[in-house]
Amino acid sequence: MEKVRCLIIGSGPAGYTAAIYAARANLSPVLYEGSMPGGQLTTTTEIENFPGYPDGISGPQMMEDLRKQAIRFGADVRVGLATKALLAPNNSIVTIDGETEIQATTVIISTGASAKYLGLPDEKKYAGLGVSACATCDGFFYRKKTVVVVGGGDTACEDAMYLSAICSKVYLAVRKDCLRASKVMQERVLRNEKIEILFKHEVIGLVGEDGVSGAILKKNRGEQDEEVYQIDVDGMFLAIGHHPNTNLFKGSVDLDETGYIKTYNGTQATNIPSVFAAGDVADPRYRQAITAAASGCRAAIDCEHYLIENGL
């Protein structure tokens, strides 16, 4: 069994930044990138609000830069998915890909969050045949076609804007009577002639033979003028939020009511000494690249202090 001082589970801005700081502190960190190396930002075309990039930068490029920087300082960045975790003070055992066991003195959890789905049977039926939770991954396949984006926040608006440059028409189905997105994103969507916003609409089903050819919508649910009708679309993109990737750690680290890891005393420390959490997996509020990177820095510094204070 391999023994390491600092094991980082997950990548993205939190994991890679933790690796940079841990490597510079001579903690010899080992980082396993997980099922989506680089995290959610690898599905984002343009990042405009990360300090230091006045002209913006693509998500994949930023993550590749962070990865290279971590490796430059000596982090051992590996491909692999944590499939089992027995977390204990100063002696955690983490299984990678169901076979390789790593014994870690300290652990930094940065497993991020995953896209939420509506829970419709049709989502599974048409998975890969017209249903996607990643506009930048799959938008190319809908060139000059019509799609519907589900959601009303920044992600939904960003996806709608991105798809409007590819598709002939984009519907934006919003459950409420207003958008939750930032003012800037709202204004961009409202100005875009190729985007039609459907307020107080829910997608309740999909139709199609060999793929999606239409979406069944419910308008004004529970009201006198409630209406169910169908629109012609070639695909549906989900942008309704995320849930933290914490199933692996249930029963060990403290989680809040929605499954995010709790951290304590203004640090990235969890309830288990020697185990820390960073990024979206412990952040139900901000969920930004810059805050994730900052928490990765904090987690690495907390980890370093813990090892020094305990003579480890």
Side-chain angles (χ1 to χ4, degrees):
M1 184 185 299
E2 183 180 2
K3 296 182 179 181
V4 302
R5 288 185 78 198
C6 176
L7 175 66
I8 302 170
I9 306 173
S11 46
Y16 288 143
T17 302
I20 291 168
Y21 274 79
R24 283 172 55 84
N26 294 321
L27 304 188
S28 302
V30 172
L31 181 150
Y32 280 94
E33 293 183 301
S35 59
M36 184 185 287
Q40 294 179 59
L41 283 187
T42 57
T43 67
T44 302
T45 48
E46 194 76 12
I47 300 171
E48 299 177 325
N49 55 4
F50 199 98
Y53 297 95
D55 299 320
I57 185 172
S58 74
Q61 185 59 58
M62 177 184 279
M63 291 306 98
E64 181 60 22
D65 289 347
L66 288 178
R67 185 179 189 274
K68 288 178 178 178
Q69 192 172 357
I71 292 172
R72 174 193 165 201
F73 289 117
D76 187 348
V77 177
R78 304 176 182 178
V79 174
L81 175 68
T83 51
K84 184 178 179 181
L86 300 174
L87 304 179
N90 309 333
N91 187 30
S92 293
I93 308 296
V94 177
T95 304
I96 306 297
D97 295 328
E99 54 184 20
T100 303
E101 289 189 338
I102 305 292
Q103 182 178 2
T105 306
T106 60
V107 175
I108 296 175
I109 300 170
S110 57
T111 46
S114 299
K116 289 182 179 179
Y117 286 78
L118 295 171
L120 304 174
D122 289 339
E123 288 173 316
K124 293 183 179 179
K125 178 181 178 181
Y126 294 104
L129 296 171
V131 174
S132 173
C134 179
T136 54
C137 303
D138 302 322
F140 173 80
F141 301 108
Y142 299 88
R143 187 174 296 276
K144 297 183 179 180
K145 295 183 178 182
T146 300
V147 299
V148 58
V149 176
V150 180
D154 277 324
T155 300
C157 288
E158 181 181 344
D159 286 357
M161 289 294 298
Y162 173 76
L163 291 166
S164 72
I166 299 172
C167 304
S168 59
K169 183 177 181 62
V170 178
Y171 291 102
L172 182 58
V174 184
R175 184 168 55 88
K176 297 184 178 181
D177 60 359
C178 63
L179 293 171
R180 295 180 290 103
S182 62
K183 291 293 184 183
V184 171
M185 288 307 301
Q186 287 190 42
E187 290 169 1
R188 288 179 183 175
V189 168
L190 291 167
R191 285 198 306 262
N192 193 313
E193 295 180 353
K194 293 175 72 174
I195 299 173
E196 181 178 346
I197 305 177
L198 304 174
F199 288 113
K200 300 180 73 174
H201 278 71
E202 300 174 43
V203 176
I204 60 172
L206 299 166
V207 296
E209 289 296 324
D210 300 317
V212 172
S213 63
I216 303 170
L217 304 178
K218 178 171 285 189
K219 179 182 179 182
N220 298 330
R221 177 186 287 273
E223 300 179 16
Q224 271 193 333
D225 57 348
E226 179 179 293
E227 178 186 359
V228 174
Y229 67 99
Q230 183 177 319
I231 58 173
D232 294 331
V233 295
D234 301 291
M236 178 179 77
F237 288 85
L238 294 148
I240 55 174
H242 296 79
H243 58 82
N245 298 323
T246 52
N247 285 339
L248 195 64
F249 313 109
K250 286 181 178 177
S252 54
V253 295
D254 288 345
L255 307 178
D256 69 10
E257 63 277 4
T258 53
Y260 288 86
I261 296 176
K262 291 183 178 180
T263 54
Y264 295 95
N265 302 319
T267 72
Q268 302 304 130
T270 69
N271 59 300
I272 301 176
S274 77
V275 177
F276 308 87
D280 286 8
V281 76
D283 178 13
R285 183 179 178 88
Y286 300 105
R287 298 193 297 268
Q288 300 295 306
I290 187 67
T291 53
S295 68
C297 160
R298 287 158 54 102
I301 292 173
D302 289 340
C303 181
E304 178 189 9
H305 288 175
Y306 177 85
L307 289 167
I308 291 172
E309 290 166 3
N310 290 276
L312 299 168

